[in-house]
Every structure is written in structure tokens, then in C-alpha cells.
Amino acid sequence: ADLKATGESFTAVGDPIIVGDRLFVTTSTDLVKIDRATGEIVARVKTFGHVSYFSRPVYARGVVIVPSDDGSLAAFTADTRRP
């Protein structure tokens, strides 16, 4: 899967987490949901902040929590990716 957003020549990619049959990974500005079996990007959503390569998202009770460089957190439901 190409994790770069349109127009990006480089993107930071954080540590992935596995949730069921999906893989979640952060890029510079997005949370990306990937099908583990096919490697296809299933969904992509903006995280509302810049996320560096050392980002470590967390999954708990159906929610993926993403830390941003400025110390803020963004939380998305794993199934719908809504904040």
C-alpha cells in the first residue's frame, strides 16, 4: 500500500497496530486502515495534527487513539473512523 498522501514526496510512518483483520498505521497527517490479507488501504482519515514516525497508536474498547507531536490526542472508532 502506498501510504503517502497525494502530493507528498515523503511521509513519516508510525508503528502499526493490529485490530482483528485490519492493520492501523499513522502517517504524517493520517490514520490509515489496511486489510491484513490483501495489503489494500481500506480507509484513511486525517488526525487533525502532525504525527511523527515515533507515533504509537493505541487500541482499546473499539477506539484507536493517536498522539500528535503537539501532545494532543485524536480518538477514532476502529470500525467507522469517526472522531
Side-chain angles (χ1 to χ4, degrees):
D2 186 3
L3 298 175
K4 290 184 281 186
T6 304
E8 283 185 328
S9 58
F10 169 81
T11 191
V13 177
D15 292 341
I17 58 172
I18 297 171
V19 179
D21 62 349
R22 303 291 192 222
L23 180 89
F24 288 86
V25 65
T26 56
T27 66
S28 300
T29 58
D30 299 339
L31 174 65
V32 182
K33 185 177 183 180
I34 300 170
D35 184 293
R36 286 178 54 199
T38 66
E40 298 285 326
I41 293 176
V42 176
R44 176 179 219 123
V45 64
K46 296 288 181 199
T47 59
F48 308 110
H50 187 268
V51 181
S52 295
Y53 66 90
F54 58 83
S55 171
R56 288 176 177 77
V58 177
Y59 174 80
R61 298 183 182 199
V63 176
V64 178
I65 302 166
V66 179
S68 293
D69 288 354
D70 66 2
S72 64
L73 299 173
F76 303 91
T77 57
D79 56 349
T80 63
R81 298 149 336 272
R82 292 193 179 275

Coordinates of all heavy atoms in Angstrom, one line a residue:
A1 N 0.8 -1.2 0.0 CA 0.0 0.0 0.0 C 0.9 1.2 0.0 O 1.9 1.3 0.7 CB -0.9 0.0 1.2
D2 N 0.5 2.2 -0.8 CA 1.3 3.5 -0.8 C 0.7 4.4 0.2 O -0.5 4.8 0.2 CB 1.1 4.1 -2.2 CG 2.0 5.4 -2.3 OD1 2.8 5.7 -1.4 OD2 2.0 6.0 -3.4
L3 N 1.5 4.6 1.3 CA 1.0 5.4 2.4 C 1.1 6.9 2.3 O 0.6 7.6 3.1 CB 1.7 4.9 3.7 CG 1.5 3.4 4.0 CD1 2.3 3.1 5.2 CD2 0.0 3.2 4.3
K4 N 1.8 7.4 1.2 CA 1.9 8.8 1.0 C 0.6 9.4 0.6 O -0.1 8.8 -0.3 CB 3.0 9.1 0.0 CG 4.4 8.8 0.4 CD 5.4 9.2 -0.6 CE 5.4 8.1 -1.7 NZ 6.5 8.3 -2.6
A5 N 0.3 10.5 1.1 CA -0.9 11.3 0.6 C -0.6 11.9 -0.7 O 0.6 12.1 -1.1 CB -1.3 12.3 1.7
T6 N -1.6 12.3 -1.4 CA -1.4 13.0 -2.7 C -0.5 14.2 -2.6 O -0.8 15.0 -1.7 CB -2.8 13.4 -3.3 OG1 -3.6 12.2 -3.4 CG2 -2.6 14.0 -4.7
G7 N 0.5 14.3 -3.4 CA 1.4 15.4 -3.4 C 2.6 15.3 -2.4 O 3.5 16.1 -2.5
E8 N 2.6 14.3 -1.6 CA 3.7 14.1 -0.7 C 4.8 13.3 -1.3 O 4.6 12.4 -2.0 CB 3.3 13.3 0.6 CG 2.5 14.1 1.6 CD 2.2 13.2 2.8 OE1 2.1 12.0 2.7 OE2 2.1 13.8 3.9
S9 N 6.0 13.8 -1.1 CA 7.2 13.1 -1.6 C 7.8 12.2 -0.5 O 8.5 11.2 -0.8 CB 8.3 14.0 -2.1 OG 8.7 14.9 -1.1
F10 N 7.5 12.5 0.7 CA 7.9 11.7 1.9 C 6.9 11.7 3.0 O 6.2 12.7 3.1 CB 9.2 12.4 2.4 CG 9.6 11.8 3.8 CD1 10.3 10.6 3.8 CD2 9.3 12.5 4.9 CE1 10.7 10.1 5.1 CE2 9.7 11.9 6.2 CZ 10.4 10.8 6.2
T11 N 6.7 10.7 3.7 CA 5.8 10.6 4.8 C 6.4 9.8 6.0 O 7.1 8.8 5.7 CB 4.4 10.1 4.4 OG1 3.5 10.3 5.5 CG2 4.5 8.6 4.1
A12 N 6.2 10.3 7.2 CA 6.6 9.6 8.4 C 5.6 8.5 8.6 O 4.4 8.7 8.5 CB 6.8 10.5 9.6
V13 N 6.0 7.3 8.9 CA 5.1 6.2 9.2 C 5.4 5.7 10.6 O 6.5 5.3 11.0 CB 5.3 5.0 8.2 CG1 4.3 3.9 8.6 CG2 5.0 5.5 6.8
G14 N 4.3 5.7 11.5 CA 4.5 5.3 12.9 C 4.3 3.7 13.0 O 4.1 3.0 12.0
D15 N 4.4 3.3 14.2 CA 4.3 1.8 14.5 C 2.9 1.4 14.2 O 1.9 2.0 14.6 CB 4.6 1.5 16.0 CG 6.1 1.8 16.3 OD1 6.9 1.8 15.4 OD2 6.4 1.9 17.5
P16 N 2.8 0.2 13.6 CA 1.4 -0.3 13.3 C 0.8 -1.0 14.5 O 1.5 -1.5 15.4 CB 1.7 -1.3 12.1 CG 3.1 -1.8 12.4 CD 3.8 -0.6 13.0
I17 N -0.5 -1.1 14.5 CA -1.2 -1.9 15.5 C -2.2 -2.9 14.7 O -2.7 -2.5 13.6 CB -2.0 -1.1 16.5 CG1 -3.0 -0.2 15.9 CG2 -1.0 -0.4 17.4 CD1 -3.9 0.5 16.9
I18 N -2.4 -4.0 15.2 CA -3.3 -5.0 14.6 C -4.6 -5.0 15.4 O -4.6 -5.2 16.6 CB -2.6 -6.4 14.6 CG1 -1.4 -6.4 13.7 CG2 -3.6 -7.4 14.1 CD1 -0.6 -7.6 13.7
V19 N -5.7 -4.9 14.7 CA -7.0 -5.0 15.3 C -7.8 -5.9 14.4 O -8.3 -5.5 13.3 CB -7.7 -3.6 15.4 CG1 -9.1 -3.7 16.0 CG2 -6.8 -2.6 16.2
G20 N -8.0 -7.2 14.8 CA -8.7 -8.1 14.1 C -8.0 -8.4 12.7 O -6.8 -8.7 12.7
D21 N -8.8 -8.3 11.6 CA -8.2 -8.5 10.3 C -7.7 -7.2 9.7 O -7.4 -7.2 8.5 CB -9.2 -9.2 9.4 CG -10.4 -8.4 9.2 OD1 -10.6 -7.4 9.9 OD2 -11.2 -8.8 8.3
R22 N -7.5 -6.2 10.5 CA -7.0 -4.9 10.0 C -5.7 -4.5 10.7 O -5.5 -4.8 11.8 CB -8.1 -3.8 10.2 CG -9.4 -4.1 9.6 CD -9.4 -4.0 8.1 NE -10.7 -4.0 7.5 CZ -11.1 -4.7 6.5 NH1 -10.2 -5.5 5.9 NH2 -12.3 -4.7 6.0
L23 N -5.0 -3.6 10.0 CA -3.8 -3.1 10.5 C -4.0 -1.5 10.4 O -4.4 -1.0 9.4 CB -2.6 -3.4 9.6 CG -1.2 -2.9 9.9 CD1 -0.6 -3.9 10.9 CD2 -0.4 -2.8 8.7
F24 N -3.7 -0.9 11.5 CA -3.8 0.6 11.6 C -2.4 1.1 11.7 O -1.5 0.7 12.5 CB -4.6 1.1 12.8 CG -6.0 0.8 12.7 CD1 -6.6 -0.4 13.1 CD2 -6.9 1.8 12.2 CE1 -7.9 -0.6 13.0 CE2 -8.2 1.6 12.1 CZ -8.8 0.3 12.5
V25 N -2.1 2.2 10.9 CA -0.8 2.8 10.9 C -1.0 4.3 10.7 O -1.9 4.7 10.1 CB 0.2 2.2 9.8 CG1 -0.3 2.5 8.4 CG2 1.6 2.7 10.0
T26 N -0.1 5.1 11.4 CA -0.2 6.6 11.2 C 0.8 7.0 10.2 O 1.9 6.4 10.1 CB 0.1 7.3 12.5 OG1 1.4 6.9 13.0 CG2 -1.0 7.0 13.5
T27 N 0.5 8.0 9.4 CA 1.4 8.7 8.5 C 1.6 10.1 9.1 O 1.1 10.4 10.2 CB 0.9 8.7 7.1 OG1 -0.3 9.5 7.0 CG2 0.6 7.3 6.6
S28 N 2.2 11.0 8.3 CA 2.4 12.4 8.8 C 1.2 13.1 9.3 O 1.2 13.8 10.3 CB 3.1 13.2 7.7 OG 4.3 12.6 7.3
T29 N 0.0 12.8 8.6 CA -1.2 13.5 9.0 C -2.4 12.6 9.0 O -3.5 13.1 9.3 CB -1.5 14.6 7.9 OG1 -1.6 14.0 6.6 CG2 -0.4 15.7 7.9
D30 N -2.3 11.3 8.8 CA -3.4 10.4 8.7 C -3.3 9.2 9.5 O -2.3 8.7 9.9 CB -3.6 9.9 7.2 CG -3.8 11.0 6.2 OD1 -4.2 12.1 6.6 OD2 -3.5 10.8 5.0
L31 N -4.5 8.6 9.8 CA -4.6 7.3 10.3 C -5.1 6.4 9.2 O -6.1 6.7 8.6 CB -5.6 7.2 11.5 CG -5.9 5.8 12.1 CD1 -4.7 5.2 12.7 CD2 -7.1 5.9 13.1
V32 N -4.3 5.4 8.9 CA -4.6 4.5 7.7 C -5.0 3.1 8.2 O -4.3 2.5 9.0 CB -3.4 4.5 6.7 CG1 -3.8 3.6 5.5 CG2 -3.0 5.9 6.4
K33 N -6.1 2.6 7.6 CA -6.6 1.3 7.9 C -6.3 0.4 6.7 O -6.7 0.7 5.6 CB -8.1 1.4 8.2 CG -8.8 0.1 8.7 CD -10.3 0.4 8.9 CE -11.0 -0.7 9.5 NZ -12.4 -0.4 9.7
I34 N -5.6 -0.7 7.0 CA -5.2 -1.6 5.9 C -5.7 -3.0 6.1 O -5.7 -3.5 7.3 CB -3.6 -1.6 5.9 CG1 -3.1 -0.2 5.6 CG2 -3.1 -2.6 4.8 CD1 -1.6 -0.1 5.8
D35 N -6.2 -3.7 5.1 CA -6.6 -5.1 5.2 C -5.3 -5.9 5.3 O -4.4 -5.9 4.4 CB -7.4 -5.4 3.9 CG -7.9 -6.8 3.9 OD1 -7.1 -7.8 3.9 OD2 -9.1 -7.0 4.0
R36 N -5.3 -6.7 6.3 CA -4.1 -7.5 6.6 C -3.9 -8.6 5.5 O -2.7 -8.9 5.2 CB -4.2 -8.2 8.0 CG -3.9 -7.3 9.1 CD -4.1 -8.0 10.4 NE -3.2 -9.1 10.5 CZ -3.4 -10.1 11.4 NH1 -4.4 -10.1 12.3 NH2 -2.5 -11.1 11.5
A37 N -4.9 -9.1 5.0 CA -4.8 -10.2 4.0 C -4.3 -9.7 2.6 O -3.5 -10.4 2.0 CB -6.1 -10.9 3.8
T38 N -4.8 -8.5 2.2 CA -4.5 -8.1 0.9 C -3.5 -6.9 0.8 O -2.9 -6.7 -0.2 CB -5.8 -7.6 0.2 OG1 -6.3 -6.4 0.9 CG2 -6.9 -8.6 0.1
G39 N -3.3 -6.2 1.9 CA -2.4 -5.1 1.9 C -3.1 -3.8 1.4 O -2.4 -2.8 1.2
E40 N -4.3 -3.9 1.0 CA -5.0 -2.8 0.4 C -5.4 -1.8 1.5 O -5.8 -2.2 2.6 CB -6.3 -3.2 -0.3 CG -6.1 -4.2 -1.4 CD -5.6 -3.5 -2.7 OE1 -6.0 -2.3 -2.9 OE2 -4.8 -4.0 -3.4
I41 N -5.4 -0.5 1.2 CA -5.9 0.5 2.1 C -7.4 0.5 2.1 O -8.0 0.6 1.0 CB -5.3 1.9 1.7 CG1 -3.8 2.0 1.9 CG2 -6.0 3.0 2.5 CD1 -3.2 3.3 1.5
V42 N -8.0 0.3 3.2 CA -9.4 0.2 3.4 C -10.0 1.6 3.6 O -11.1 2.0 3.1 CB -9.8 -0.7 4.5 CG1 -11.3 -0.8 4.7 CG2 -9.3 -2.1 4.2
A43 N -9.3 2.4 4.4 CA -9.8 3.8 4.8 C -8.6 4.6 5.2 O -7.6 4.1 5.6 CB -10.8 3.7 5.9
R44 N -8.8 5.9 5.2 CA -7.8 6.9 5.6 C -8.6 8.1 6.1 O -9.6 8.5 5.6 CB -7.0 7.2 4.3 CG -6.0 8.3 4.5 CD -5.3 8.5 3.2 NE -3.9 8.7 3.5 CZ -2.9 8.0 3.0 NH1 -3.1 7.1 2.1 NH2 -1.7 8.3 3.4
V45 N -8.1 8.6 7.3 CA -8.7 9.8 7.9 C -7.7 10.7 8.4 O -6.6 10.2 8.9 CB -9.7 9.3 9.0 CG1 -9.0 8.6 10.1 CG2 -10.6 10.5 9.5
K46 N -7.9 12.0 8.4 CA -7.0 13.0 8.9 C -7.0 12.9 10.5 O -8.0 12.7 11.1 CB -7.4 14.4 8.5 CG -7.3 14.7 7.0 CD -5.8 14.7 6.6 CE -5.7 15.0 5.1 NZ -4.5 14.6 4.6
T47 N -5.8 13.1 11.1 CA -5.7 13.0 12.5 C -5.8 14.4 13.2 O -5.7 14.5 14.4 CB -4.3 12.4 12.9 OG1 -3.3 13.1 12.4 CG2 -4.2 10.9 12.4
F48 N -5.9 15.5 12.4 CA -6.0 16.8 13.0 C -4.8 17.4 13.6 O -4.8 18.3 14.3 CB -7.2 16.9 14.0 CG -8.5 16.4 13.5 CD1 -9.0 15.2 14.0 CD2 -9.2 17.0 12.5 CE1 -10.2 14.7 13.6 CE2 -10.4 16.5 12.0 CZ -10.9 15.3 12.6
G49 N -3.6 16.7 13.3 CA -2.3 17.2 13.8 C -1.2 16.5 13.1 O -1.5 15.5 12.4
H50 N 0.0 17.0 13.3 CA 1.1 16.3 12.7 C 1.6 15.1 13.5 O 1.6 15.2 14.7 CB 2.3 17.2 12.5 CG 3.4 16.6 11.7 ND1 4.5 16.0 12.3 CD2 3.6 16.5 10.4 CE1 5.3 15.5 11.4 NE2 4.8 15.8 10.2
V51 N 1.8 14.0 12.9 CA 2.2 12.7 13.6 C 3.6 12.3 13.1 O 3.7 12.1 11.9 CB 1.2 11.6 13.4 CG1 1.6 10.4 14.1 CG2 -0.2 12.1 13.8
S52 N 4.6 12.1 14.0 CA 5.9 11.7 13.5 C 6.0 10.2 13.5 O 5.1 9.5 13.9 CB 6.9 12.3 14.5 OG 7.0 13.7 14.5
Y53 N 7.1 9.8 13.0 CA 7.4 8.3 12.8 C 7.4 7.6 14.1 O 7.2 6.4 14.1 CB 8.7 8.1 12.0 CG 9.9 8.5 12.8 CD1 10.6 7.6 13.6 CD2 10.4 9.8 12.6 CE1 11.7 8.0 14.3 CE2 11.5 10.2 13.3 CZ 12.2 9.3 14.2 OH 13.3 9.7 14.9
F54 N 7.6 8.2 15.2 CA 7.6 7.5 16.5 C 6.3 7.4 17.2 O 6.1 7.0 18.3 CB 8.6 8.2 17.5 CG 8.3 9.7 17.7 CD1 7.4 10.0 18.7 CD2 9.0 10.7 17.0 CE1 7.1 11.4 18.9 CE2 8.7 12.0 17.2 CZ 7.7 12.4 18.2
S55 N 5.2 7.8 16.5 CA 3.9 7.7 17.0 C 3.5 6.3 17.2 O 3.8 5.4 16.4 CB 2.9 8.3 16.0 OG 1.6 8.0 16.4
R56 N 2.9 6.0 18.4 CA 2.4 4.7 18.7 C 0.9 4.7 19.1 O 0.6 5.0 20.2 CB 3.2 4.1 19.9 CG 4.6 3.8 19.5 CD 5.5 3.3 20.6 NE 6.8 2.9 20.1 CZ 7.8 3.8 19.8 NH1 7.5 5.1 19.8 NH2 8.9 3.4 19.4
P57 N 0.1 4.5 18.1 CA -1.4 4.5 18.3 C -1.7 3.4 19.3 O -0.9 2.4 19.4 CB -2.0 4.3 17.0 CG -0.9 3.7 16.1 CD 0.4 4.2 16.7
V58 N -2.8 3.5 20.0 CA -3.3 2.5 20.9 C -4.7 2.1 20.6 O -5.5 3.0 20.2 CB -3.2 3.1 22.4 CG1 -3.8 2.1 23.4 CG2 -1.8 3.5 22.7
Y59 N -5.1 0.9 20.8 CA -6.4 0.4 20.6 C -7.0 -0.1 21.9 O -6.4 -0.8 22.6 CB -6.5 -0.7 19.6 CG -7.8 -1.3 19.4 CD1 -8.8 -0.7 18.6 CD2 -8.2 -2.5 20.1 CE1 -10.1 -1.3 18.5 CE2 -9.4 -3.1 20.0 CZ -10.4 -2.5 19.2 OH -11.6 -3.0 19.0
A60 N -8.2 0.4 22.2 CA -8.9 -0.1 23.4 C -10.4 0.1 23.3 O -10.9 1.2 22.8 CB -8.5 0.7 24.7
R61 N -11.2 -0.9 23.5 CA -12.6 -0.9 23.5 C -13.2 -0.2 22.2 O -14.1 0.6 22.3 CB -13.2 -0.1 24.7 CG -12.8 -0.8 26.0 CD -13.4 -0.2 27.2 NE -13.0 -0.9 28.4 CZ -13.6 -0.7 29.5 NH1 -14.6 0.0 29.7 NH2 -13.1 -1.4 30.6
G62 N -12.7 -0.6 21.1 CA -13.2 -0.2 19.8 C -12.7 1.2 19.4 O -13.2 1.7 18.3
V63 N -11.8 1.8 20.1 CA -11.3 3.1 19.7 C -9.8 3.0 19.5 O -9.0 2.4 20.2 CB -11.6 4.1 20.9 CG1 -11.0 5.5 20.6 CG2 -13.1 4.2 21.1
V64 N -9.3 3.7 18.4 CA -7.9 3.9 18.1 C -7.6 5.3 18.5 O -8.2 6.3 18.1 CB -7.6 3.7 16.6 CG1 -6.1 3.9 16.3 CG2 -8.0 2.3 16.2
I65 N -6.6 5.4 19.4 CA -6.1 6.7 19.9 C -4.8 7.0 19.3 O -3.8 6.2 19.4 CB -6.0 6.7 21.4 CG1 -7.4 6.4 22.0 CG2 -5.6 8.1 22.0 CD1 -7.4 6.0 23.5
V66 N -4.6 8.2 18.7 CA -3.4 8.6 18.0 C -2.8 9.9 18.7 O -3.5 10.9 18.7 CB -3.7 8.9 16.5 CG1 -2.5 9.4 15.8 CG2 -4.4 7.8 15.9
P67 N -1.6 9.8 19.2 CA -0.9 11.0 19.7 C -0.3 11.8 18.6 O 0.2 11.3 17.7 CB 0.2 10.4 20.6 CG 0.5 9.1 20.0 CD -0.8 8.6 19.4
S68 N -0.4 13.2 18.8 CA 0.2 14.1 17.8 C 1.5 14.7 18.4 O 1.7 14.6 19.6 CB -0.8 15.2 17.4 OG -1.9 14.7 16.7
D69 N 2.3 15.3 17.6 CA 3.5 15.9 18.0 C 3.3 17.0 19.1 O 4.2 17.2 19.9 CB 4.3 16.5 16.8 CG 4.9 15.4 15.9 OD1 4.8 14.2 16.2 OD2 5.4 15.8 14.8
D70 N 2.2 17.7 19.0 CA 2.0 18.7 20.0 C 1.5 18.3 21.3 O 1.1 19.0 22.2 CB 1.1 19.8 19.4 CG -0.4 19.3 19.2 OD1 -0.7 18.1 19.5 OD2 -1.2 20.1 18.6
G71 N 1.3 16.9 21.5 CA 0.9 16.4 22.8 C -0.6 16.1 22.8 O -1.1 15.5 23.8
S72 N -1.4 16.5 21.8 CA -2.8 16.3 21.8 C -3.1 14.9 21.3 O -2.2 14.2 20.8 CB -3.5 17.3 20.8 OG -3.1 17.1 19.5
L73 N -4.3 14.4 21.6 CA -4.7 13.1 21.2 C -5.9 13.2 20.3 O -6.8 14.0 20.5 CB -5.1 12.2 22.4 CG -4.0 12.0 23.5 CD1 -4.6 11.3 24.7 CD2 -2.9 11.2 22.9
A74 N -6.0 12.3 19.3 CA -7.2 12.1 18.5 C -7.7 10.7 18.7 O -6.9 9.8 18.7 CB -6.9 12.4 17.0
A75 N -9.0 10.5 18.8 CA -9.6 9.2 19.0 C -10.6 8.9 17.9 O -11.4 9.8 17.6 CB -10.2 9.1 20.4
F76 N -10.5 7.7 17.3 CA -11.4 7.3 16.2 C -12.0 5.9 16.5 O -11.2 5.1 17.0 CB -10.6 7.3 14.9 CG -9.9 8.5 14.6 CD1 -8.6 8.8 15.0 CD2 -10.6 9.5 13.8 CE1 -8.0 10.0 14.7 CE2 -9.9 10.7 13.5 CZ -8.6 10.9 13.9
T77 N -13.2 5.7 16.2 CA -13.8 4.4 16.3 C -13.1 3.5 15.3 O -12.9 4.0 14.1 CB -15.3 4.4 16.2 OG1 -15.7 4.9 14.9 CG2 -16.0 5.1 17.3
A78 N -12.7 2.3 15.6 CA -12.0 1.5 14.7 C -12.8 1.0 13.5 O -12.3 0.9 12.4 CB -11.5 0.2 15.4
D79 N -14.1 0.9 13.7 CA -14.9 0.5 12.5 C -15.3 1.6 11.6 O -15.3 1.4 10.4 CB -16.2 -0.3 13.0 CG -17.0 0.5 14.0 OD1 -16.6 1.5 14.5 OD2 -18.2 0.0 14.3
T80 N -15.7 2.8 12.1 CA -16.1 3.9 11.3 C -15.1 5.0 11.1 O -15.3 5.8 10.2 CB -17.4 4.5 11.8 OG1 -17.1 5.1 13.1 CG2 -18.5 3.5 11.9
R81 N -14.1 5.0 11.9 CA -13.0 6.0 11.9 C -13.5 7.4 12.2 O -13.0 8.4 11.8 CB -12.2 6.0 10.6 CG -11.5 4.7 10.3 CD -11.4 4.4 8.9 NE -12.3 4.9 8.0 CZ -13.5 4.3 7.7 NH1 -13.9 3.2 8.2 NH2 -14.3 4.9 6.7
R82 N -14.6 7.5 12.9 CA -15.1 8.8 13.3 C -14.5 9.3 14.6 O -14.3 8.6 15.5 CB -16.6 8.8 13.5 CG -17.4 8.5 12.2 CD -18.9 8.8 12.4 NE -19.6 8.5 11.2 CZ -19.8 9.4 10.2 NH1 -19.2 10.6 10.4 NH2 -20.5 9.2 9.2
P83 N -14.2 10.6 14.6 CA -13.6 11.2 15.9 C -14.7 11.2 17.0 O -15.8 11.2 16.8 CB -13.2 12.6 15.5 CG -13.8 12.9 14.2 CD -14.3 11.6 13.6

